[in-house]
mmCIF file of all heavy atoms in Angstrom:
data_model
loop_
_atom_site.group_PDB
_atom_site.id
_atom_site.type_symbol
_atom_site.label_atom_id
_atom_site.label_comp_id
_atom_site.label_asym_id
_atom_site.label_seq_id
_atom_site.Cartn_x
_atom_site.Cartn_y
_atom_site.Cartn_z
ATOM 1 N N ALA A 778 -2.651 2.183 -2.959
ATOM 2 C CA ALA A 778 -2.389 0.806 -2.542
ATOM 3 C C ALA A 778 -2.373 -0.136 -3.743
ATOM 4 O O ALA A 778 -1.499 -0.996 -3.865
ATOM 5 C CB ALA A 778 -3.434 0.351 -1.524
ATOM 6 N N GLY A 779 -3.324 0.043 -4.642
ATOM 7 C CA GLY A 779 -3.368 -0.796 -5.839
ATOM 8 C C GLY A 779 -2.153 -0.604 -6.724
ATOM 9 O O GLY A 779 -1.590 -1.567 -7.248
ATOM 10 N N ALA A 780 -1.737 0.646 -6.887
ATOM 11 C CA ALA A 780 -0.559 0.928 -7.708
ATOM 12 C C ALA A 780 0.701 0.338 -7.086
ATOM 13 O O ALA A 780 1.560 -0.211 -7.787
ATOM 14 C CB ALA A 780 -0.397 2.440 -7.896
ATOM 15 N N MET A 781 0.799 0.428 -5.766
ATOM 16 C CA MET A 781 1.964 -0.115 -5.063
ATOM 17 C C MET A 781 2.008 -1.641 -5.190
ATOM 18 O O MET A 781 3.060 -2.219 -5.453
ATOM 19 C CB MET A 781 1.901 0.296 -3.593
ATOM 20 C CG MET A 781 3.125 -0.040 -2.822
ATOM 21 S SD MET A 781 4.416 1.129 -3.219
ATOM 22 C CE MET A 781 5.321 1.085 -1.720
ATOM 23 N N LYS A 782 0.856 -2.294 -5.027
ATOM 24 C CA LYS A 782 0.789 -3.756 -5.177
ATOM 25 C C LYS A 782 1.163 -4.166 -6.600
ATOM 26 O O LYS A 782 1.878 -5.150 -6.804
ATOM 27 C CB LYS A 782 -0.608 -4.264 -4.844
ATOM 28 C CG LYS A 782 -0.919 -4.203 -3.375
ATOM 29 C CD LYS A 782 -2.344 -4.662 -3.111
ATOM 30 C CE LYS A 782 -2.696 -4.541 -1.653
ATOM 31 N NZ LYS A 782 -4.068 -4.972 -1.365
ATOM 32 N N TRP A 783 0.676 -3.416 -7.592
ATOM 33 C CA TRP A 783 0.979 -3.734 -8.990
ATOM 34 C C TRP A 783 2.475 -3.608 -9.257
ATOM 35 O O TRP A 783 3.082 -4.470 -9.870
ATOM 36 C CB TRP A 783 0.190 -2.803 -9.906
ATOM 37 C CG TRP A 783 0.465 -3.037 -11.358
ATOM 38 C CD1 TRP A 783 -0.078 -4.004 -12.142
ATOM 39 C CD2 TRP A 783 1.380 -2.306 -12.169
ATOM 40 N NE1 TRP A 783 0.434 -3.906 -13.411
ATOM 41 C CE2 TRP A 783 1.341 -2.867 -13.459
ATOM 42 C CE3 TRP A 783 2.219 -1.229 -11.936
ATOM 43 C CZ2 TRP A 783 2.107 -2.394 -14.496
ATOM 44 C CZ3 TRP A 783 2.987 -0.758 -12.983
ATOM 45 C CH2 TRP A 783 2.928 -1.331 -14.239
ATOM 46 N N MET A 784 3.068 -2.508 -8.775
ATOM 47 C CA MET A 784 4.495 -2.277 -8.985
ATOM 48 C C MET A 784 5.324 -3.381 -8.328
ATOM 49 O O MET A 784 6.269 -3.900 -8.917
ATOM 50 C CB MET A 784 4.900 -0.913 -8.414
ATOM 51 C CG MET A 784 6.330 -0.481 -8.682
ATOM 52 S SD MET A 784 7.610 -1.101 -7.552
ATOM 53 C CE MET A 784 7.021 -0.591 -5.971
ATOM 54 N N LEU A 785 4.960 -3.752 -7.116
ATOM 55 C CA LEU A 785 5.705 -4.799 -6.416
ATOM 56 C C LEU A 785 5.579 -6.147 -7.132
ATOM 57 O O LEU A 785 6.539 -6.915 -7.187
ATOM 58 C CB LEU A 785 5.231 -4.911 -4.964
ATOM 59 C CG LEU A 785 5.592 -3.728 -4.070
ATOM 60 C CD1 LEU A 785 4.862 -3.827 -2.736
ATOM 61 C CD2 LEU A 785 7.089 -3.630 -3.859
ATOM 62 N N SER A 786 4.399 -6.433 -7.690
ATOM 63 C CA SER A 786 4.224 -7.696 -8.410
ATOM 64 C C SER A 786 5.048 -7.713 -9.694
ATOM 65 O O SER A 786 5.589 -8.751 -10.079
ATOM 66 C CB SER A 786 2.756 -7.951 -8.716
ATOM 67 O OG SER A 786 2.278 -7.079 -9.716
ATOM 68 N N LYS A 787 5.151 -6.571 -10.372
ATOM 69 C CA LYS A 787 5.966 -6.490 -11.591
ATOM 70 C C LYS A 787 7.442 -6.696 -11.285
ATOM 71 O O LYS A 787 8.184 -7.229 -12.113
ATOM 72 C CB LYS A 787 5.776 -5.137 -12.291
ATOM 73 C CG LYS A 787 4.434 -4.973 -12.923
ATOM 74 C CD LYS A 787 4.300 -5.941 -14.062
ATOM 75 C CE LYS A 787 2.975 -5.774 -14.755
ATOM 76 N NZ LYS A 787 2.767 -6.789 -15.782
ATOM 77 N N GLU A 788 7.878 -6.256 -10.116
ATOM 78 C CA GLU A 788 9.270 -6.422 -9.690
ATOM 79 C C GLU A 788 9.499 -7.778 -9.026
ATOM 80 O O GLU A 788 10.614 -8.065 -8.601
ATOM 81 C CB GLU A 788 9.661 -5.297 -8.721
ATOM 82 C CG GLU A 788 9.660 -3.920 -9.350
ATOM 83 C CD GLU A 788 10.762 -3.754 -10.372
ATOM 84 O OE1 GLU A 788 11.883 -4.230 -10.137
ATOM 85 O OE2 GLU A 788 10.500 -3.137 -11.425
ATOM 86 N N LYS A 789 8.420 -8.587 -8.910
ATOM 87 C CA LYS A 789 8.465 -9.910 -8.285
ATOM 88 C C LYS A 789 8.993 -9.838 -6.846
ATOM 89 O O LYS A 789 9.779 -10.663 -6.410
ATOM 90 C CB LYS A 789 9.275 -10.890 -9.123
ATOM 91 C CG LYS A 789 8.714 -11.087 -10.515
ATOM 92 C CD LYS A 789 9.349 -12.226 -11.233
ATOM 93 C CE LYS A 789 8.893 -12.442 -12.629
ATOM 94 N NZ LYS A 789 7.696 -11.934 -13.122
ATOM 95 N N ARG A 790 8.537 -8.818 -6.146
ATOM 96 C CA ARG A 790 8.926 -8.631 -4.744
ATOM 97 C C ARG A 790 7.794 -9.115 -3.848
ATOM 98 O O ARG A 790 6.630 -8.818 -4.080
ATOM 99 C CB ARG A 790 9.246 -7.167 -4.477
ATOM 100 C CG ARG A 790 10.485 -6.731 -5.254
ATOM 101 C CD ARG A 790 10.724 -5.264 -5.245
ATOM 102 N NE ARG A 790 10.926 -4.725 -3.912
ATOM 103 C CZ ARG A 790 11.253 -3.452 -3.690
ATOM 104 N NH1 ARG A 790 11.410 -2.619 -4.694
ATOM 105 N NH2 ARG A 790 11.415 -3.029 -2.468
ATOM 106 N N GLN A 791 8.131 -9.867 -2.834
ATOM 107 C CA GLN A 791 7.155 -10.415 -1.891
ATOM 108 C C GLN A 791 7.025 -9.490 -0.682
ATOM 109 O O GLN A 791 7.484 -9.807 0.407
ATOM 110 C CB GLN A 791 7.588 -11.826 -1.458
ATOM 111 C CG GLN A 791 7.689 -12.803 -2.600
ATOM 112 C CD GLN A 791 6.341 -13.046 -3.257
ATOM 113 O OE1 GLN A 791 5.332 -13.181 -2.585
ATOM 114 N NE2 GLN A 791 6.321 -13.101 -4.575
ATOM 115 N N GLU A 792 6.408 -8.340 -0.873
ATOM 116 C CA GLU A 792 6.225 -7.361 0.185
ATOM 117 C C GLU A 792 4.738 -7.101 0.362
ATOM 118 O O GLU A 792 3.958 -7.277 -0.561
ATOM 119 C CB GLU A 792 6.976 -6.071 -0.147
ATOM 120 C CG GLU A 792 8.466 -6.292 -0.292
ATOM 121 C CD GLU A 792 9.232 -5.036 -0.683
ATOM 122 O OE1 GLU A 792 8.673 -3.937 -0.589
ATOM 123 O OE2 GLU A 792 10.399 -5.191 -1.078
ATOM 124 N N HIS A 793 4.354 -6.699 1.549
ATOM 125 C CA HIS A 793 2.949 -6.461 1.865
ATOM 126 C C HIS A 793 2.613 -4.981 1.776
ATOM 127 O O HIS A 793 3.444 -4.136 2.081
ATOM 128 C CB HIS A 793 2.634 -6.972 3.270
ATOM 129 C CG HIS A 793 2.812 -8.450 3.404
ATOM 130 N ND1 HIS A 793 1.861 -9.349 2.992
ATOM 131 C CD2 HIS A 793 3.841 -9.181 3.885
ATOM 132 C CE1 HIS A 793 2.287 -10.574 3.218
ATOM 133 N NE2 HIS A 793 3.497 -10.499 3.763
ATOM 134 N N VAL A 794 1.375 -4.707 1.371
ATOM 135 C CA VAL A 794 0.882 -3.331 1.286
ATOM 136 C C VAL A 794 -0.397 -3.243 2.113
ATOM 137 O O VAL A 794 -1.314 -4.039 1.941
ATOM 138 C CB VAL A 794 0.586 -2.921 -0.169
ATOM 139 C CG1 VAL A 794 -0.009 -1.523 -0.228
ATOM 140 C CG2 VAL A 794 1.843 -3.008 -1.017
ATOM 141 N N ILE A 795 -0.432 -2.280 3.024
ATOM 142 C CA ILE A 795 -1.639 -1.990 3.790
ATOM 143 C C ILE A 795 -2.133 -0.631 3.320
ATOM 144 O O ILE A 795 -1.407 0.361 3.408
ATOM 145 C CB ILE A 795 -1.355 -1.958 5.295
ATOM 146 C CG1 ILE A 795 -0.860 -3.330 5.767
ATOM 147 C CG2 ILE A 795 -2.600 -1.528 6.070
ATOM 148 C CD1 ILE A 795 -0.398 -3.347 7.207
ATOM 149 N N GLY A 796 -3.347 -0.591 2.797
ATOM 150 C CA GLY A 796 -3.911 0.653 2.294
ATOM 151 C C GLY A 796 -5.084 1.109 3.138
ATOM 152 O O GLY A 796 -6.027 0.354 3.340
ATOM 153 N N PHE A 797 -5.006 2.324 3.658
ATOM 154 C CA PHE A 797 -6.112 2.914 4.400
ATOM 155 C C PHE A 797 -6.940 3.756 3.444
ATOM 156 O O PHE A 797 -6.396 4.397 2.545
ATOM 157 C CB PHE A 797 -5.592 3.823 5.525
ATOM 158 C CG PHE A 797 -4.981 3.070 6.672
ATOM 159 C CD1 PHE A 797 -3.611 3.022 6.825
ATOM 160 C CD2 PHE A 797 -5.787 2.419 7.592
ATOM 161 C CE1 PHE A 797 -3.042 2.336 7.889
ATOM 162 C CE2 PHE A 797 -5.225 1.735 8.657
ATOM 163 C CZ PHE A 797 -3.854 1.693 8.801
ATOM 164 N N PRO A 798 -8.252 3.818 3.667
ATOM 165 C CA PRO A 798 -9.087 4.701 2.839
ATOM 166 C C PRO A 798 -8.646 6.154 2.987
ATOM 167 O O PRO A 798 -8.045 6.527 3.994
ATOM 168 C CB PRO A 798 -10.492 4.509 3.404
ATOM 169 C CG PRO A 798 -10.442 3.281 4.231
ATOM 170 C CD PRO A 798 -9.028 3.094 4.654
ATOM 171 N N ASP A 799 -8.987 6.967 2.016
ATOM 172 C CA ASP A 799 -8.607 8.379 2.042
ATOM 173 C C ASP A 799 -9.120 9.121 3.268
ATOM 174 O O ASP A 799 -8.550 10.127 3.680
ATOM 175 C CB ASP A 799 -9.102 9.095 0.793
ATOM 176 C CG ASP A 799 -8.304 8.724 -0.432
ATOM 177 O OD1 ASP A 799 -7.129 8.380 -0.299
ATOM 178 O OD2 ASP A 799 -8.878 8.796 -1.528
ATOM 179 N N THR A 800 -10.202 8.641 3.883
ATOM 180 C CA THR A 800 -10.774 9.350 5.027
ATOM 181 C C THR A 800 -9.825 9.385 6.219
ATOM 182 O O THR A 800 -10.016 10.187 7.124
ATOM 183 C CB THR A 800 -12.104 8.712 5.459
ATOM 184 O OG1 THR A 800 -11.893 7.325 5.726
ATOM 185 C CG2 THR A 800 -13.157 8.881 4.385
ATOM 186 N N PHE A 801 -8.817 8.541 6.258
ATOM 187 C CA PHE A 801 -7.849 8.560 7.348
ATOM 188 C C PHE A 801 -6.801 9.653 7.164
ATOM 189 O O PHE A 801 -5.948 9.834 8.017
ATOM 190 C CB PHE A 801 -7.139 7.212 7.477
ATOM 191 C CG PHE A 801 -7.988 6.161 8.130
ATOM 192 C CD1 PHE A 801 -8.382 5.047 7.432
ATOM 193 C CD2 PHE A 801 -8.389 6.301 9.443
ATOM 194 C CE1 PHE A 801 -9.153 4.072 8.036
ATOM 195 C CE2 PHE A 801 -9.168 5.338 10.051
ATOM 196 C CZ PHE A 801 -9.556 4.221 9.345
ATOM 197 N N ALA A 802 -6.838 10.383 6.074
ATOM 198 C CA ALA A 802 -5.853 11.425 5.827
ATOM 199 C C ALA A 802 -6.220 12.739 6.526
ATOM 200 O O ALA A 802 -5.565 13.738 6.322
ATOM 201 C CB ALA A 802 -5.707 11.661 4.324
ATOM 202 N N ILE A 803 -7.234 12.720 7.399
ATOM 203 C CA ILE A 803 -7.698 13.960 8.022
ATOM 204 C C ILE A 803 -6.969 14.315 9.305
ATOM 205 O O ILE A 803 -7.106 15.412 9.795
ATOM 206 C CB ILE A 803 -9.217 13.906 8.299
ATOM 207 C CG1 ILE A 803 -9.560 12.779 9.258
ATOM 208 C CG2 ILE A 803 -9.984 13.832 7.002
ATOM 209 C CD1 ILE A 803 -10.989 12.784 9.731
ATOM 210 N N GLY A 804 -6.270 13.413 9.902
ATOM 211 C CA GLY A 804 -5.589 13.737 11.148
ATOM 212 C C GLY A 804 -4.971 12.512 11.787
ATOM 213 O O GLY A 804 -4.832 11.481 11.143
ATOM 214 N N PRO A 805 -4.629 12.594 13.060
ATOM 215 C CA PRO A 805 -3.979 11.474 13.736
ATOM 216 C C PRO A 805 -4.869 10.230 13.758
ATOM 217 O O PRO A 805 -6.033 10.319 14.145
ATOM 218 C CB PRO A 805 -3.747 11.982 15.160
ATOM 219 C CG PRO A 805 -3.921 13.455 15.101
ATOM 220 C CD PRO A 805 -4.808 13.740 13.932
ATOM 221 N N ILE A 806 -4.332 9.105 13.367
ATOM 222 C CA ILE A 806 -5.099 7.862 13.360
ATOM 223 C C ILE A 806 -5.417 7.423 14.787
ATOM 224 O O ILE A 806 -6.495 6.933 15.067
ATOM 225 C CB ILE A 806 -4.330 6.754 12.613
ATOM 226 C CG1 ILE A 806 -4.221 7.113 11.144
ATOM 227 C CG2 ILE A 806 -5.005 5.409 12.772
ATOM 228 C CD1 ILE A 806 -3.369 6.173 10.353
ATOM 229 N N HIS A 807 -4.499 7.639 15.701
ATOM 230 C CA HIS A 807 -4.688 7.126 17.068
ATOM 231 C C HIS A 807 -5.834 7.792 17.811
ATOM 232 O O HIS A 807 -6.286 7.287 18.819
ATOM 233 C CB HIS A 807 -3.384 7.243 17.864
ATOM 234 C CG HIS A 807 -3.008 8.652 18.226
ATOM 235 N ND1 HIS A 807 -2.383 9.497 17.336
ATOM 236 C CD2 HIS A 807 -3.186 9.358 19.354
ATOM 237 C CE1 HIS A 807 -2.181 10.662 17.912
ATOM 238 N NE2 HIS A 807 -2.657 10.604 19.144
#
């Protein structure tokens, strides 16, 4: 998430980034 936000700021793009902690990578979020 931090890398994506940094890259978007360098490109001067006004886009949003939502970052979930790594613990959500274990299976279905729902």
Side-chain angles (χ1 to χ4, degrees):
M781 188 76 152
K782 288 177 183 180
W783 179 81
M784 186 276 305
L785 291 170
S786 71
K787 290 293 182 186
E788 295 292 320
K789 300 191 183 340
R790 294 170 61 175
Q791 299 296 318
E792 299 177 14
H793 297 279
V794 176
I795 298 173
F797 288 104
D799 287 332
T800 56
F801 284 115
I803 61 172
I806 294 174
H807 71 279

